[in-house]
Amino acid sequence: MTELAAVKAALKTQAVETPSWAYGNSGTRFKVFAQAGVPRNPYEKLDDAAKVHEFTGAAPTVALHIPWDKVDDYAALAKHAEQRGVKLGAINSNTFQDDDYKLGSICHPEASVRRKAVDHLLECVDIMDATGSTDLKLWFADGTNYPGQDDIRARQDRLAEGLAEVYERLGEGQRMLLEYKFFEPAFYSTDVPDWGTAYAHCLKLGPKAQVVVDTGHHAPGTNIEFIVATLLREGKLGGFDFNSRFYADDDLMVGAADPFQLFRIMYEVIRGGGFSPEVAFMLDQCHNIEAKIPAIIRSVMNVQEATAKALLVDADALGAAQRSGDVLEANAVLMDAYNTDVRPLLAEVREESGLGPDPIAAYRRSGWAEKIVDERVGGEQAGWGA
């Protein structure tokens, strides 16, 4: 197989999970902006997600968020997804939108609140059993706003205890993905603020616990690709939440703010053997002012483009430059790959897979945008619940 053929073959295996909540209404902390044609229930979210996969060929699974996507029959929801050509992916918990969680959830100083939070996480595992999902994704808004508000070490003990109970409930082929976030909504201390904290808990829990890297959850200037390389080296990188940020956790389209960073991350993924089903690639974005389905299609395309460029890095030339200490040449090898226009290559890959070369154009021609505006009248539009 030629080098180009190998790159094409790799690109044809790429899968990017889309999040159900990205299809609903979202906005800033001041207002949620409604759009015509937005889904009114989880079934319609899956209908939209199926269109993203139809035109990109690279978005075969959809992440759910509980309780935003709560239904009476999860097996029926999974069947609906399969009938539309997609499958249900990660189950995301929600322990941050209840008044009881004002002082935390599984780190809360009161045992009854911790019990409520853990019971919700166990419910999410039950949903995994019903849907066939393999990943339980956890993000906790837990933390404190003021020095002395709570015992920092005790909160870590509570976190470990709660995680351990949920970990023991996981079944065969299921895993726990622990996400971290630099700050927000807690402003003094956050209980899972960085990859090191997440890694330490996952290491203690066992092989079914791995770390999720959200690209928007870091301090300015953080070298995210170093984190990726380290977690891959330790066998603890479970997946990504892809998005972009200019200031904090902006949840903008991946690659919008710093496409070079996305390329660098994908290079480390490929270099470290992470371009495999063991590392989940998921979008975690809020499309506040832009049309949602085209924005998600564009996001999938941005990941594909960064991946294609990373696959084109001349590993032999780069290794030779690194071994000889040729700093400029090593950098040039990376930049040559990054500066390659891979859009024609990806158009060929899509055509070889029976897809249109331009997913955005194909979507616009489909008439789906007009169809959902006409048909989704009445009822209550889905949103992020803010």
Side-chain angles (χ1 to χ4, degrees), residues 270-299:
I270 293 165
R271 163 74 179 81
F275 193 63
S276 70
E278 283 69 43
V279 177
F281 299 99
M282 197 193 84
L283 305 179
D284 181 13
Q285 303 174 176
C286 292
H287 303 292
N288 303 334
I289 59 175
E290 65 270 29
K292 300 176 191 305
I293 299 174
I296 297 170
I297 291 174
R298 172 58 64 187
S299 299

Side-chain angles (χ1 to χ4, degrees), residues 123-379:
E123 176 194 11
C124 288
V125 182
D126 291 340
I127 294 170
M128 293 169 66
D129 293 339
T131 60
S133 302
T134 59
D135 293 345
L136 172 67
K137 194 143 73 63
L138 307 178
W139 171 71
F140 299 107
D142 293 29
T144 65
N145 278 1
Y146 295 99
Q149 176 182 324
D150 200 359
D151 186 315
I152 292 176
R153 179 167 175 167
R155 293 181 73 90
Q156 289 297 309
D157 291 340
R158 299 168 201 153
L159 175 63
E161 181 181 355
L163 290 175
E165 182 176 348
V166 178
Y167 184 88
E168 289 303 313
R169 169 65 182 81
L170 295 174
E172 189 68 28
Q174 295 178 338
R175 61 180 183 168
M176 171 190 294
L177 303 181
L178 182 58
E179 190 174 345
Y180 59 91
K181 189 173 186 180
F182 176 50
F183 79 104
E184 190 191 46
F187 294 109
Y188 171 62
S189 68
T190 301
D191 291 315
V192 191
D194 51 41
W195 72 273
T197 305
Y199 172 74
H201 282 282
C202 288
L203 192 63
K204 187 172 183 180
L205 287 166
K208 291 184 179 181
Q210 294 183 302
V211 180
V212 168
V213 175
D214 184 306
T215 50
H217 285 190
H218 303 84
T222 299
N223 189 315
I224 299 175
E225 55 268 33
F226 172 82
I227 298 170
V228 171
T230 301
L231 289 173
L232 276 170
R233 183 173 179 269
E234 298 298 321
K236 281 294 184 181
L237 179 64
F240 288 92
D241 277 0
F242 281 131
N243 53 57
S244 283
R245 47 77 64 85
F246 286 105
Y247 296 106
D249 183 25
D250 304 335
D251 278 351
L252 299 174
M253 287 169 46
V254 61
D258 189 352
F260 185 46
Q261 180 189 69
L262 181 59
F263 160 78
R264 300 193 310 263
I265 290 170
M266 290 309 304
Y267 170 73
E268 290 300 336
V269 167
I270 293 165
R271 163 74 179 81
F275 193 63
S276 70
E278 283 69 43
V279 177
F281 299 99
M282 197 193 84
L283 305 179
D284 181 13
Q285 303 174 176
C286 292
H287 303 292
N288 303 334
I289 59 175
E290 65 270 29
K292 300 176 191 305
I293 299 174
I296 297 170
I297 291 174
R298 172 58 64 187
S299 299
V300 173
M301 293 171 67
N302 287 350
V303 176
Q304 289 179 306
E305 290 178 15
T307 304
K309 293 180 178 186
L311 288 165
L312 290 174
V313 172
D314 188 332
D316 292 338
L318 181 60
Q322 290 170 342
R323 288 190 296 273
S324 67
D326 193 333
V327 176
L328 290 178
E329 179 59 22
N331 178 250
V333 172
L334 274 183
M335 294 308 299
D336 283 345
Y338 175 69
N339 289 322
T340 302
D341 184 356
V342 296
R343 290 173 297 178
L345 171 64
L346 284 164
E348 288 181 22
V349 168
R350 294 184 187 109
E351 289 181 317
E352 290 173 6
S353 300
L355 303 171
D358 183 345
I360 293 289
Y363 171 72
R364 287 173 177 162
R365 289 194 302 268
S366 73
W368 184 255
E370 294 77 15
K371 176 182 171 66
I372 58 179
V373 168
D374 290 341
E375 294 183 353
R376 293 176 184 171
V377 178

